[in-house]
Amino acid sequence: MANHLYQNDLPDGLDLGPTVAIDCETMGLNPRRDRLCLIQMSGGDGDCHLVQVSRGQTEAPNLCRMLENPNVLKLFHFGRFDIAALHNAFGTTTTPVYCTKIASKLVRTFTDRHGLKTLLQDMVGIDISKHQQQSDWGAPQLTDAQLDYAASDVLYLHELKAAFDVLLAREGRSELAQACFNFLPTRARLDLAGWPDIDIFAH
């Protein structure tokens, strides 16, 4: 397992495979206000590829090409936030997508615990640390501890997806989950456009 850190964009010619797990680190939890600092990705092979984003940066051609590639599934946990952060930074629409938090809420209706740490413990038997979650991701130089933390958020998502695919099929909710995943990029755009806390489907 290795971390590969790049500046501003993925390198030319890097192929992360047909399913890429993605997570973002920002300066806060408001995708319009808080700038995107780091994007971490894994193709499921145990390696993590991280792109550090410069302040004011608005382009990352290789990254955006992958995010928009219809033949590459982008795998998230709470994709709603990450998709919005990527769109706000680069103007790109990430699709197609899969979100393990949505999958969890559709099949783990016996609990209200849908955080990544809990899901990895319960479903994959892996314990990850959240110690660096609230560190300064805008620092010019990130520590090894920060990079390891960031990597842990994507390295096991492929295993988690496989477990959820089984549960979604068992409960007859695979089609419903796919419809939710298809809507996620639009949900992210609604957040950015000013409807983050309003259910437009309500009366």
Side-chain angles (χ1 to χ4, degrees):
M1 184 175 72
N3 294 332
H4 308 275
L5 179 63
Y6 314 110
Q7 297 299 318
N8 306 120
D9 200 1
L10 291 170
D12 293 342
L14 179 64
D15 183 1
L16 297 179
T19 302
V20 181
I22 304 176
D23 188 51
C24 298
E25 306 299 341
T26 63
M27 289 298 292
L29 298 178
N30 183 326
R32 292 187 66 188
R33 178 195 66 194
D34 301 318
R35 69 181 177 92
L36 178 63
C37 301
L38 186 73
I39 306 128
Q40 53 267 38
M41 292 153 278
S42 176
D45 59 357
D47 283 1
C48 183
H49 300 265
L50 307 99
V51 174
Q52 191 170 14
V53 180
S54 297
R55 183 174 181 176
Q57 179 183 340
T58 60
E59 295 183 352
N62 292 334
L63 172 67
C64 290
R65 194 174 299 114
M66 185 270 291
L67 295 175
E68 297 170 355
N69 188 338
N71 298 315
V72 176
L73 179 66
K74 275 66 69 170
L75 175 57
F76 296 93
H77 183 75
F78 194 43
R80 175 179 172 180
F81 177 83
D82 298 307
I83 293 166
L86 290 163
H87 190 282
N88 189 61
F90 303 123
T92 188
T93 298
T94 304
T95 184
V97 300
Y98 185 112
C99 179
T100 54
K101 183 181 278 285
I102 287 175
S104 180
K105 289 184 176 183
L106 285 173
V107 294
R108 287 169 52 92
T109 51
F110 51 83
T111 180
D112 62 355
R113 293 172 59 84
H114 304 287
L116 181 60
K117 182 177 176 66
T118 297
L119 295 182
L120 289 177
Q121 286 175 330
D122 291 354
M123 301 184 66
V124 185
I126 292 172
D127 187 20
I128 62 171
S129 171
K130 286 292 183 180
H131 182 67
Q132 294 290 328
Q133 187 172 28
Q134 297 182 4
S135 63
D136 180 9
W137 293 102
Q141 291 198 346
L142 301 176
T143 66
D144 288 342
Q146 284 178 303
L147 296 180
D148 287 342
Y149 162 81
S152 72
D153 278 352
V154 295
L155 288 178
Y156 311 107
L157 284 186
H158 290 76
E159 295 176 63
L160 196 57
K161 176 186 180 297
F164 274 125
D165 284 345
V166 172
L167 290 181
L168 287 166
R170 189 190 77 183
E171 298 302 315
R173 293 175 183 161
S174 299
E175 184 177 348
L176 182 60
Q178 187 59 56
C180 292
F181 302 152
N182 293 345
F183 180 68
L184 259 184
T186 301
R187 175 65 264 188
R189 288 174 59 196
L190 284 168
D191 289 345
L192 292 173
W195 285 273
D197 303 314
I198 299 173
D199 179 4
I200 64 170
F201 298 102
H203 185 274

